[in-house]
Amino acid sequence: MKKFFLSLALAICSFVSARAIEPFLEFQPIQAGGGFTAFNVQGGITGKVHPNIRLGAGLGITERWNFETSPLIPIFVRGQLEGRLGSLNPFFSFDVGYEINTEDTSWGAVLVNPMVGLKFDKWHFGIGYLGHCWTPENAGTTSTFNMKLGYSF
């Protein structure tokens, strides 16, 4: 599964032209729900494949606020739709990937993170849903609310 996501990320990067690439850095101060509370810092690149569509990939680190466990390392691909409504610049993004558990690598989670938000010049803010499907069979799922503040370079 990890090789698939890395291969997909490389394919997306090679598809996007060099002048359209935009690096980003994001902070998620809140991931909360189902007894799970954490924060996340992540970065990556996106590139325009259409005037309103971006594709990209990223990598991050997720840690519980009480630091009681080792961090998770999310690796993801992103699709993003951008628009303009009057003076507002809304966006919808969809991340899918895998979170590596650094404490026990036999555990991990497939992640899905749809999000809606607004862009303000180079800054963006969004809210969304973060779903984890833990990889050992019958390990369950985690559904959380998340908030994101980001900057595009």
Side-chain angles (χ1 to χ4, degrees), residues 7-17 45 47 49 55-57 77-78:
S7 298
L8 186 58
L10 284 172
I12 289 171
C13 291
S14 64
F15 178 73
V16 176
S17 70
I45 59 169
V49 295
L55 296 177
V77 293
R78 171 177 291 177

Side-chain angles (χ1 to χ4, degrees), residues 29-39 63-66 144:
I30 298 173
Q31 292 180 353
F36 181 81
T37 306
F39 67 92
E63 180 64 78
R64 287 182 164 227
W65 277 105
N66 57 9
T144 63

Side-chain angles (χ1 to χ4, degrees), residues 12 15-17 19-22 46-56 78-84 90-92 119:
I12 289 171
F15 178 73
V16 176
S17 70
R19 11 172 245 272
I21 289 179
E22 184 175 272
T46 61
K48 283 194 174 195
V49 295
H50 181 272
N52 296 331
I53 298 173
R54 291 187 161 279
L55 296 177
R78 171 177 291 177
Q80 184 165 310
L81 179 63
E82 301 171 339
R84 186 156 181 89
F91 70 89
F92 170 77
K119 293 184 90 172

Side-chain angles (χ1 to χ4, degrees), residues 19-103:
R19 11 172 245 272
I21 289 179
E22 184 175 272
F24 64 87
L25 184 62
E26 298 173 336
F27 176 58
Q28 295 181 34
I30 298 173
Q31 292 180 353
F36 181 81
T37 306
F39 67 92
N40 169 281
V41 177
Q42 62 191 26
I45 59 169
T46 61
K48 283 194 174 195
V49 295
H50 181 272
N52 296 331
I53 298 173
R54 291 187 161 279
L55 296 177
L59 176 71
I61 186 164
T62 301
E63 180 64 78
R64 287 182 164 227
W65 277 105
N66 57 9
F67 297 97
E68 69 183 24
T69 60
S70 294
L72 300 171
I73 308 294
I75 300 170
F76 60 93
V77 293
R78 171 177 291 177
Q80 184 165 310
L81 179 63
E82 301 171 339
R84 186 156 181 89
L85 294 170
S87 62
L88 298 177
N89 295 310
F91 70 89
F92 170 77
S93 69
F94 188 81
D95 297 351
V96 63
Y98 187 80
E99 278 194 295
I100 301 167
N101 184 343
T102 59
E103 187 172 331

Side-chain angles (χ1 to χ4, degrees), residues 1-2 4-6 8 58 73-78 94-100 108-113 130-133 135:
M1 185 67 116
K2 296 172 201 171
F4 169 75
F5 286 119
L6 289 174
L8 186 58
I73 308 294
I75 300 170
F76 60 93
V77 293
R78 171 177 291 177
F94 188 81
D95 297 351
V96 63
Y98 187 80
E99 278 194 295
I100 301 167
V110 174
L111 69 91
V112 176
N113 185 199
L130 178 61
H132 291 106
C133 182
T135 52

